[in-house]
Each structure stands twice: as C-alpha cells, then as structure tokens.
C-alpha cells in the first residue's frame, strides 16, 4: 500500500538545517494524520549532512536517505528521489528551510481534493537578494510564460506538489528541474496550478546557484521547446531550414546567371557579393539536411522512441 505522501528533499551541504526541517515536517504530518515518508537525497555533500541524515533515520522511522557518490546536481537528486518515492502525492522541498512545511496540508489537499496534477509554489514575497535574484527571476519567469504558455509566476520554485503519476511519467535530467511543469505539460498533464507560499531567508549555509542560472536556464528553455516540438521528428525542423537556406543560395545563383547571360555582364562572378551568398547558403543548406538525417538516426535508436503514457484501458 502506498503512503499518502512522500516528501522528497534534495540536499547539498545543508547539515545545519536538516534536523529542524525534519522535525517540522514530522510535526505537520503527524498533526494531519498522514501516512508519510521523507526521502532525503544527499547530492554528494562534503559537510556532515550525511551523518545528520543517518541520525534522522534512527530518530524517525519515516525518514529514508540516499547518498550520491559525488555532487551531480539538483535534477539528478530529484530524479532518484522520484524513483524512490512511493506516496500517492509527492511534495518536493528545498533542504535549506527557505520553504515552509506549514504549506504541506494545503498543497496536499489541492492535489487530492481539487484534482490538480501539479501545484507549483509561488514565492510572491521573496527573501533573497533583490538585485541578483528577485528581479532577474521576475523577468525570467515572464519570458518563460511567453515561450512555454504555462501561466506560472515562479516556475523554478523548489516547493511543488505532484500526483504520483506525474513524477512517474516524466524524467528530470541535466538541469531540467527548472522546467518540471513544462515536462509535465508535455507529458499531457493539464491541471497545473500554483499556490502562493511563504518564503524565508536562508538561515544557514549559502545558495548553490549563482548568476549562471539565468544563462543556463535560458539555454535549457530553448532545448526543452525544441525537443518537445521536434524531438521525435528532427527532420521536420532541419529539413525545412535546410531547404529554405539552399533555395536562397539557388536564387542568388540564378540571379548571377541571368546577369551573365542576358546582360552580357563583363564582371567576373567571383567579384560579386551574390556569388559568396549563394556559395555559403548552399553549403549551409546541405549541412542542415545532413544534421537532420543524423538526428533521425539518433531518434530511431533512442530508447524512448515509443514511450507513451496511457491514461486508461478498457474492455481488456
Ligand atoms: N541542491 C542540490 N544539489 C546541488 C545544488 C543544490 O541538491 O548541486 C539543493 C540544495 O541543497 C537545496 C536546493 O537544492 O536544498 C535549492 O538550492 P539553493 O537553496 O542553493 O537554491 P536557491 O534557494 O538559492 O535558489
Ligand atoms: Mg534556497
């Protein structure tokens, strides 16, 4: 039998926060009467985090821990946490006490009673550095909303709740933890909502992400949009691009030929810009096609080329 609730916590060098966090989660879940488990994933901490997790598993029968051999990142930590989680509802939470466990009951109820597939936290009032985090994050979320069409104010909030099927259907990898709602939407889960959540300043330790997060995040956003549209049919992208580029080159060749033949143009073709434009365009067009064919070969051999999520089966 599945527990009601799994709480998945990725952690990297958060030794001071962990006891307080687990005690608080236990207080909330016991009051609510949930059958729950806490899955703590130590992402290769170099401080005493793992010893603390070990002592917490001794104190609380509800706590389980997984430790990575080295630091892989938040997405890999969530991936193994999701694999291990058995609850009907899964809630993720940062380990640094910036997310409040008091939000758990409401998030849980939105999944169970209001039928949401995914509820994302929204740190409406935020206690991070205004210049390096809050402002760029607002901008970034605006761009996200425009490109993905998912109307969330705080896509990358660590505090989120999921219906079990969602986390079992998606695969977080690389640094895609920033885009889990996008992955869920692409997998066909429609009811994605948000809840304003309390946010707290970091009490111990330091943030693990710097300004590079915005560059990496933007690049990942492009990737995720590309793979969702063309991931299984790359030639539809590269073929169109290749054909357009090649045709552009062809038009310029035709213009050169007309000049030469009809007007008896005396200037050598190699002295005209059109010559170089046609040359590069035709080479680039050919390269796009080749890329497309190679990408098709990759897709043909991809392990997930025929992975589909069924919603229901009847008359079986
Ligand atoms: N984290 C992790 N692996 C990493 C970096 C971070 O598991 O490589 C965890 C970290 O311990 C925390 C959560 O991810 O529980 C969010 O990280 P952080 O608080 O540094 O991010 P911020 O709140 O500054 O955005
Ligand atoms: Mg934090």
């Amino acid at each position: 039998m599945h527990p009601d609730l799994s709480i998945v916590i990725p952690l990297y060098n958060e030794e001071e926060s962990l006891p307080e966090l687990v005690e608080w989660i236990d207080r909330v879940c016991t009051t609510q009467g949930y059958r729950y488990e806490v899955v703590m994933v130590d992402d290769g901490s170099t401080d005493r985090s793992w010893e603390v997790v070990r002592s917490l598993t001794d104190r609380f029968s509800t706590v389980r821990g997984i430790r990575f051999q080295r630091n892989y990142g938040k997405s890999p930590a969530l991936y193994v946490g999701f694999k291990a989680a058995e609850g009907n509802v899964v809630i993720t939470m940062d380990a640094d006490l910036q997310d409040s466990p008091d939000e758990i009951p409401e998030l849980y109820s939105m999944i169970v009673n209001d039928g949401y597939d995914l509820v994302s936290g929204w740190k409406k009032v935020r206690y991070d550095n205004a210049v390096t985090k809050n402002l760029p994050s607002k901008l970034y979320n605006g761009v996200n909303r425009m490109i993905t069409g998912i109307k969330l104010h705080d896509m990358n909030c660590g505090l989120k709740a999921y219906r079990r099927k969602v986390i079992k259907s998606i695969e977080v990898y690389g640094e895609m933890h920033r885009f889990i709602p996008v992955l869920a939407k692409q997998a066909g889960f429609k009811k994605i909502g948000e809840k304003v959540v309390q946010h707290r300043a970091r009490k111990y330790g330091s943030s693990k992400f710097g300004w590079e997060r915005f560059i990496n995040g933007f690049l990942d956003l492009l990737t995720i949009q590309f793979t969702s549209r063309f991931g299984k049919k790359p030639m539809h992208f590269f073929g169109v691009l290749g054909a357009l580029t090649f045709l552009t080159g062809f038009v310029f060749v035709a213009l050169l030929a007309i000049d030469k033949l009809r007007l008896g143009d005396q200037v050598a073709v190699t002295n005209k810009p059109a010559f170089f434009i046609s040359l590069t365009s035709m080479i680039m067009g050919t390269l796009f096609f080749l890329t497309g064919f190679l990408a098709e070969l990759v897709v043909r051999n991809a392990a997930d080329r025929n992975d589909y999520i069924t919603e229901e089966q009847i008359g079986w």
Side-chain angles (χ1 to χ4, degrees):
M1 203 157 109
H2 297 301
D4 300 320
L5 174 64
S6 298
I7 296 163
V8 174
I9 305 173
L11 61 108
Y12 180 49
N13 294 345
E14 309 280 7
E15 56 181 3
E16 303 98 330
S17 315
L18 302 177
E20 203 173 321
L21 179 67
V22 171
E23 283 155 19
W24 191 353
I25 290 174
D26 181 64
R27 216 158 47 234
V28 172
C29 291
T30 311
T31 312
Q32 297 290 325
Y34 298 140
R35 283 180 304 110
Y36 79 100
E37 61 172 3
V38 178
V39 179
M40 312 193 82
V41 186
D42 180 349
D43 183 11
S45 296
T46 50
D47 64 356
R48 290 188 59 261
S49 291
W50 183 246
E51 282 86 86
V52 178
V53 171
R54 195 191 292 276
S55 74
L56 287 168
T57 58
D58 291 339
R59 274 177 62 199
F60 297 91
S61 61
T62 48
V63 176
R64 298 195 279 148
I66 301 171
R67 183 190 197 182
F68 276 156
Q69 181 75 29
R70 66 165 173 89
N71 176 237
Y72 285 102
K74 190 175 179 184
S75 289
L78 286 174
Y79 171 78
V80 300
F82 285 163
K83 265 198 145 169
E86 286 170 356
N88 292 321
V89 173
V90 175
I91 291 183
T92 59
M93 189 178 269
D94 286 354
D96 55 2
L97 289 166
Q98 289 200 270
D99 301 325
S100 161
D102 287 340
E103 303 288 350
I104 292 173
E106 180 65 20
L107 287 169
Y108 179 82
S109 154
M110 284 176 81
I111 301 284
V112 173
N113 301 319
D114 305 340
Y116 280 97
D117 293 315
L118 187 166
V119 180
S120 180
W122 172 12
K123 305 181 288 277
K124 201 167 181 179
V125 182
R126 195 171 168 169
Y127 297 93
D128 281 319
N129 188 304
V131 181
T132 57
K133 250 188 187 160
N134 304 0
L135 255 174
S137 162
K138 275 208 172 113
L139 240 155
Y140 182 71
N141 273 295
V143 174
N144 262 344
R145 277 197 296 278
M146 238 165 50
I147 296 184
T148 65
I150 300 176
K151 303 289 170 233
L152 292 180
H153 290 87
D154 192 4
M155 174 91 72
N156 186 17
C157 184
L159 182 55
K160 287 191 174 62
Y162 309 83
R163 182 179 305 288
R164 177 188 160 79
K165 191 174 178 189
V166 176
I167 57 129
K168 297 296 180 190
S169 306
I170 60 173
E171 190 173 318
V172 192
Y173 68 97
E175 287 192 20
M176 292 301 180
H177 61 268
R178 301 198 176 93
F179 301 104
I180 299 183
V182 183
L183 296 175
K185 188 187 168 202
Q186 284 169 10
F189 295 98
K190 293 170 206 81
K191 208 157 173 210
I192 296 174
E194 67 185 344
K195 174 189 184 304
V196 175
V197 293
Q198 308 165 37
H199 187 240
R200 296 143 41 97
R202 213 184 220 283
K203 202 160 149 191
Y204 311 103
S206 57
S207 173
K208 312 296 183 295
F209 298 100
W211 56 270
E212 335 78 68
R213 64 163 54 194
F214 295 106
I215 296 171
N216 297 340
F218 184 69
L219 293 174
D220 282 343
L221 176 64
L222 296 184
T223 302
I224 210 167
Q225 286 300 106
F226 173 78
T227 49
S228 81
R229 279 188 68 183
F230 301 107
K232 297 256 164 82
K233 44 182 183 187
M235 198 52 176
H236 291 197
F237 176 78
F238 291 107
V240 170
L241 203 61
L244 287 176
T245 323
F246 196 89
L247 261 174
T248 310
F250 200 77
V251 167
F252 278 93
V253 171
L255 289 176
L256 282 173
I258 289 169
D259 275 3
K260 198 85 193 160
L261 295 174
R262 235 189 30 201
L263 309 172
D265 200 339
Q266 294 303 305
V267 187
V269 284
T270 48
N271 278 348
K272 293 186 172 186
F275 174 77
F276 296 98
I277 296 174
S278 60
L279 200 66
T280 34
S281 299
M282 288 169 103
I283 292 173
M284 276 170 58
T286 312
L287 288 179
F288 281 134
F289 264 99
L290 282 177
T291 310
F293 284 126
L294 285 177
E296 286 290 341
L297 288 180
V298 172
V299 173
R300 201 177 129 99
N301 287 294
D304 69 342
R305 68 185 175 280
N306 267 324
D307 270 0
Y308 311 109
I309 308 159
T310 38
E311 186 169 1
E312 265 180 78
Q313 250 167 275
I314 50 165
W316 214 247

